[in-house]
Structures are given as structure tokens and as C-alpha cells.
Amino acid sequence: MNQDAPLPDLWNALVDQETLDELIRNLRQHGVILGVQEKHAPNEHINEEPVDSTQAIERFRQGVSRAIQIHYRFEEKNWCDTIIRQGQQYKIVRMEQPELPA
């Protein structure tokens, strides 16, 4: 990574189950999900490779994984949402992903 390049802006929020469900519906309807990774611990993925988004999201809802990262494309930009369960709510951290060189 270029050390002179600025870091992308972060957006974060704490949401309830209904808002999370709406976010996921919107991603599926208006974006393109590129991949989902499940996280077991802050620095440990359950699977190193992206997995089926529907299965990963369902396992997250069931408490099998601690967090998920959803990589998607929306309005000509790539994004990554990290969603972490915090009690009865969910913390969402969103970051725009830089375009990879061709």
C-alpha cells in the first residue's frame, strides 16, 4: 500500500436487528455482494476464503460466528461492512475499498 495515500473514511453505527435486516435486504437488492468472510475472533477468520453470503449471514444470526465482513459493490464503488454482535445490537463499520490496479 502506498504510505502517502490517505486512509479511507470509516463510518460506524450501532443498530438493532430490524435495521440490520433492512441493510442486508438493501445490499442484496441494490448492490452486488462480492464475498462474505466469517470471523471467529478479532484476528481470526472461520474460513480464509469467502463463503456463500446467505449461509454466512445465517450462521452469524445464529451466533456461530462473532462477526462477518461483507464485501460489495454499490454505486460504482467497492465497500466492506464489518458487522459485530454487541449484546442485542450490532456494530457496523463501513469502509470504502480502493480499486485494485488491473
Side-chain angles (χ1 to χ4, degrees):
M1 177 179 276
N2 182 346
Q3 291 186 4
D4 296 327
L7 293 174
D9 291 334
L10 292 178
W11 171 86
N12 68 71
L14 199 57
V15 301
D16 60 13
Q17 181 70 52
E18 184 177 325
T19 305
L20 177 63
D21 291 344
E22 182 179 343
L23 167 70
I24 292 169
R25 274 193 306 276
N26 285 337
L27 287 178
R28 288 181 171 148
Q29 291 175 356
H30 304 291
V32 176
I33 295 178
L34 304 173
V36 177
Q37 289 182 302
E38 299 174 272
K39 295 181 71 85
H40 180 64
N43 295 319
E44 179 184 339
H45 290 94
I46 289 177
N47 300 302
E48 288 300 320
E49 298 297 320
V51 295
D52 177 75
S53 63
T54 302
Q55 291 176 351
I57 291 167
E58 186 57 33
R59 284 193 295 264
F60 174 67
R61 285 182 173 145
Q62 294 171 356
V64 174
S65 53
R66 177 181 181 272
I68 55 175
Q69 289 182 322
I70 303 175
H71 300 270
Y72 61 96
R73 187 151 182 86
F74 177 73
E75 293 185 347
E76 311 265 335
K77 294 182 180 180
N78 291 333
W79 300 89
C80 177
D81 286 5
T82 300
I83 306 170
I84 306 163
R85 182 184 323 279
Q86 292 190 337
Q88 298 297 315
Q89 295 185 308
Y90 301 89
K91 180 177 182 179
I92 301 173
V93 178
R94 176 172 292 158
M95 183 172 76
E96 183 179 347
Q97 300 289 281
E99 290 289 327
L100 297 175

